Amino acid sequence: MPPPTAPLGNAESLPPDFKDRSTGLMVFGVLEILAGLFAALLIPLMIVGLLMAPNRAMHPAAMIPMVLMYGLAAIAGIWLGVGSIQARRWARSLSLLLGWTWLVVGVMGTAAMLFILPRMDLAGPQGMPASANFMFLGMMLATIGCVYLVPPIALVLFYGSRHVEATCRWYDPKPNWTDRCPLPVLAMSLVLGFWALSTLGGMGSNYVLPVFGAYVSGPAGAAGYLILGGLFAYLAWAAYRLHRHAWWLTAVVIALWSASALVTFLVAGPAELYRQAGMPPEQIEAIQKSGMPLNALGAGGAAVGLLLAAYAVWLRRYFKAPLGSPDG
């Protein structure tokens, strides 16, 4: 039965065995706020670490992408946490999408680490036995799993519960902006919006842009990032509004972008990318000597892009423009 303190007048039907999950929403909300505060704390720690480093091989501009990422994570964590405590429908929807996105990225990242780490030179101090190196590798993989798998699984299981959904609909009966778009499409819209914002991080790598076999940087690269950012922002808006041209245009843009990155990575090589980004030669040499399979990483990144393009094509069922509309 619904809780006695629930508002009256909610016309939406509730499951007959509805259970109030407001306490769980509060607990998860507090955890999300703490995660957001932790992400915010990492920003000054990174800046202080860079300033105190004896050898500033890293250019300060290279930290811009990390600052943007942690800044967005901090804002999202605190915002979603407050919304979850208040049992808001939008907070439940976005937390569920965050969990699924985090889980997909975590599974792919963990698989990549399983492929990369055994091939890298992770030798410890001289004389360390092979068993210790094996334990070190196992600890790294366990840490990666705890960070990239456990939290998103918890988010998906909790916010995907029909009891949590019913609780949010009961305490927040009025539909909001997340209800105006199917969740699978909203996920793609948010990813495109994130990509639009992430183009601002191009200044941290001298605006290096892969263009089908060659790297473009400097003013030309900045212009390319500006065009990409505007395009991704438009596609995010058009997808959210369910404009029919958005689904195929998104698929085409992502596929072309992935193909361009892969061709450039294989033709020009990763060393040229690092050089144009302003990385010191000694760091480039260290990366090359580490044994990291860079070509495999480039192919994996392109494969992820193609999977996203296929996902955009799969979303076609949701893009049905009404008759007489410009997209009809």
Side-chain angles (χ1 to χ4, degrees):
M1 293 295 294
T5 56
L8 300 177
N10 186 357
E12 296 183 359
S13 60
L14 294 172
D17 55 345
F18 163 59
K19 297 180 181 179
D20 185 7
R21 297 300 190 203
S22 55
T23 300
L25 286 166
M26 183 175 297
V27 172
F28 270 81
V30 171
L31 293 176
E32 287 178 322
I33 291 175
L34 291 177
L37 293 175
F38 178 73
L41 178 63
L42 290 177
I43 297 176
L45 290 179
M46 285 192 304
I47 297 175
V48 172
L50 175 64
L51 295 177
M52 296 182 63
N55 181 18
R56 298 183 187 178
M58 178 184 294
H59 193 277
M63 298 187 64
I64 293 177
M66 298 295 292
V67 171
L68 286 175
M69 183 183 70
Y70 286 124
L72 289 174
I75 294 173
I78 296 173
W79 181 46
L80 292 178
V82 172
S84 180
I85 292 174
Q86 296 176 340
R88 294 291 184 259
R89 295 160 68 127
W90 58 263
R92 178 257 169 190
S93 299
L94 295 181
S95 295
L96 179 59
L97 292 182
L98 172 64
W100 275 115
T101 305
W102 190 350
L103 181 58
V104 171
V105 173
V107 169
M108 293 189 298
T110 303
M113 290 299 101
L114 288 172
F115 176 79
I116 294 171
L117 290 179
R119 292 164 174 78
M120 292 182 61
D121 183 12
L122 299 176
Q126 188 174 3
M128 179 178 288
S131 59
N133 285 330
F134 180 79
M135 291 180 60
F136 175 69
L137 178 61
M139 290 176 60
M140 289 186 64
L141 292 175
T143 301
I144 291 172
C146 290
V147 173
Y148 290 102
L149 297 179
V150 175
I153 289 175
L155 289 174
V156 169
L157 291 178
F158 178 76
Y159 288 104
S161 167
R162 64 189 182 94
H163 298 293
V164 173
E165 181 181 9
T167 300
C168 292
R169 289 180 178 272
W170 183 258
Y171 285 105
D172 186 20
K174 186 178 180 180
N176 53 67
W177 65 275
T178 58
D179 299 312
R180 300 187 183 102
C181 178
L183 282 184
V185 179
L186 182 60
M188 177 59 75
S189 177
L190 293 175
V191 169
L192 291 169
F194 173 78
W195 284 357
L197 290 175
S198 66
T199 57
L200 298 176
M203 66 182 71
S205 60
N206 194 29
Y207 297 105
V208 180
L209 191 67
V211 183
F212 288 101
Y215 292 109
V216 178
S217 58
Y225 271 99
L226 181 62
I227 294 173
L228 278 176
L231 180 58
F232 287 143
Y234 170 75
L235 290 176
W237 172 82
Y240 174 75
R241 297 298 298 266
L242 297 180
H243 290 311
R244 190 154 60 180
H245 68 272
W247 76 265
W248 64 263
L249 187 56
T250 297
V252 170
V253 169
I254 295 177
L256 288 176
W257 169 253
S258 302
S260 176
L262 176 61
V263 170
T264 307
F265 200 84
L266 296 178
V267 172
E272 178 63 17
L273 168 64
Y274 302 143
R275 187 189 67 80
Q276 292 198 31
M279 183 177 292
E282 56 271 17
Q283 288 190 7
I284 299 176
E285 184 179 359
I287 293 175
Q288 293 175 328
K289 290 182 177 179
S290 67
M292 182 179 296
L294 297 176
N295 288 336
L297 283 178
V304 171
L306 293 176
L307 286 176
L308 283 173
Y311 176 74
V313 173
W314 176 80
L315 292 176
R316 181 180 183 275
R317 67 191 67 186
Y318 298 105
F319 291 86
K320 299 179 180 178
L323 295 177
S325 69
D327 290 323

